[in-house]
Amino acid sequence: MQDLSNFRKSYEKFDLNESDVTDNPLELFRDWFNEAVDHDAVDEANAMSVSTIGLDGFPKTRVVLLKRYSENGFVFYTNYESEKGRAIEANPHVCLSFFWPGMERQVIIKGTASKLASNLSDGYFESRPKLSQVSAIISPQSQVVPSREYLESKQKELTEKSGDHLERPKYWGGYIVFPQSIEFWQGRPNRLHDRIRYELNDAYDWVINRLAP
Ligand SMILES: Cc1cc2nc3c(=O)[nH]c(=O)nc-3n(C[C@H](O)[C@H](O)[C@H](O)COP(=O)(O)O)c2cc1C
């Protein structure tokens, strides 16, 4: 048994007040994201967890990379036939979350995922290094495979036989998650943390509330 009850950290770096928050959560997200990118203690600020409700009824969370965000949503790329792709097909409600320990900050976004326009997925696929393109093509993401050697031989085969241009396979591309709620969590001393949640109402206005920690 490993007892971790003494693992305890006081969060003291920043605070989050109603008077500081912007009307639009995207602006606050952009500020926090850029601060995370610039912070020495944060590696891969764009790594985020994506939770889906699986076909087996269980939620599942895994890390992907945020590749773009705007008013229209948050974009990541993956295999549409992967476990997450199949889950999104059946239930597009997802949750994205960022934890930036160096900033003592968490952001949780609930939203609806849809496939990104194919020309945007094409553009991103073309911008990737060839070996990344090859891996995306030959990897039946989330399927059982016989061995690592099997994948390496598929990778070698396609790398050798293909020219400079590889077409994006239809089973690989982006999802864009349109946010319904965005919650900002700032760690504070003595566990009295700050939580500010933005929720879209029926008129598509953002409603801002403070939540108890
Ligand atoms: C830091 C990090 C970044 C990752 N980025 C991606 C990504 O952008 N897209 C992706 O499909 N998987 C990415 N993965 C792998 C996923 O976590 C996951 O293993 C994969 O997408 C298969 O998930 P699924 O079987 O639940 O669909 C990343 C993993 C880590 C740890």
Side-chain angles (χ1 to χ4, degrees):
M1 205 263 288
Q2 192 177 10
D3 181 3
L4 311 175
S5 51
N6 281 334
F7 279 34
R8 201 165 282 129
K9 185 182 162 189
S10 183
Y11 303 117
E12 318 209 317
K13 291 189 177 163
F14 305 103
D15 56 22
L16 179 62
N17 296 308
E18 286 81 346
S19 55
D20 304 330
V21 305
T22 52
D23 291 342
N24 186 321
L26 263 299
E27 286 173 39
L28 184 55
F29 181 83
R30 189 193 55 215
D31 291 347
W32 276 28
F33 182 75
N34 288 336
E35 285 172 35
V37 169
D38 291 342
H39 200 283
D40 290 342
V42 179
D43 196 20
E44 292 206 285
N46 63 329
M48 61 180 184
S49 296
V50 181
S51 301
T52 51
I53 304 295
L55 302 183
D56 56 5
F58 284 91
K60 183 180 172 187
T61 301
R62 77 291 278 160
V63 174
V64 299
L65 297 177
L66 176 69
K67 287 290 172 179
R68 162 200 294 259
Y69 66 90
S70 71
E71 296 284 332
N72 299 327
F74 296 78
V75 172
F76 65 92
Y77 292 90
T78 194
N79 186 310
Y80 290 139
E81 294 174 0
S82 64
E83 190 176 345
K84 80 180 88 47
R86 291 175 195 276
I88 290 169
E89 195 67 31
N91 180 349
H93 294 161
V94 301
C95 182
L96 311 176
S97 76
F98 296 82
F99 173 41
W100 297 305
M103 319 287 298
E104 303 171 348
R105 283 173 176 170
Q106 171 180 232
V107 179
I108 301 173
I109 300 162
K110 288 200 268 182
T112 304
S114 52
K115 282 182 181 167
L116 194 66
S118 56
N119 61 318
L120 295 177
S121 287
D122 289 342
Y124 177 68
F125 188 80
E126 278 163 28
S127 75
R128 301 182 89 203
K130 180 170 177 188
L131 282 177
S132 301
Q133 295 177 333
V134 168
S135 297
I137 294 171
I138 62 91
S139 171
Q141 194 177 52
S142 317
Q143 302 293 313
V144 173
V145 289
S147 62
R148 171 137 198 120
E149 289 69 37
Y150 168 85
L151 292 171
E152 286 176 356
S153 75
K154 290 263 177 214
Q155 186 188 50
K156 188 162 177 283
E157 194 187 327
L158 181 59
T159 305
E160 286 172 1
K161 83 167 193 226
S162 59
D164 279 346
H165 183 73
L166 279 167
E167 196 123 316
R168 174 179 68 90
K170 293 288 164 262
Y171 51 79
W172 192 97
Y175 282 107
I176 182 160
V177 177
F178 183 72
Q180 177 64 42
S181 87
I182 307 186
E183 180 189 327
F184 295 84
W185 182 99
Q186 176 67 65
R188 297 293 308 277
N190 307 314
R191 302 294 183 258
L192 206 56
H193 312 300
D194 288 328
R195 295 176 66 190
I196 299 287
R197 184 186 61 197
Y198 294 73
E199 277 184 308
L200 264 193
N201 67 13
D202 292 343
Y204 283 85
D205 293 322
W206 288 106
V207 178
I208 303 176
N209 284 297
R210 173 176 288 268
L211 304 181

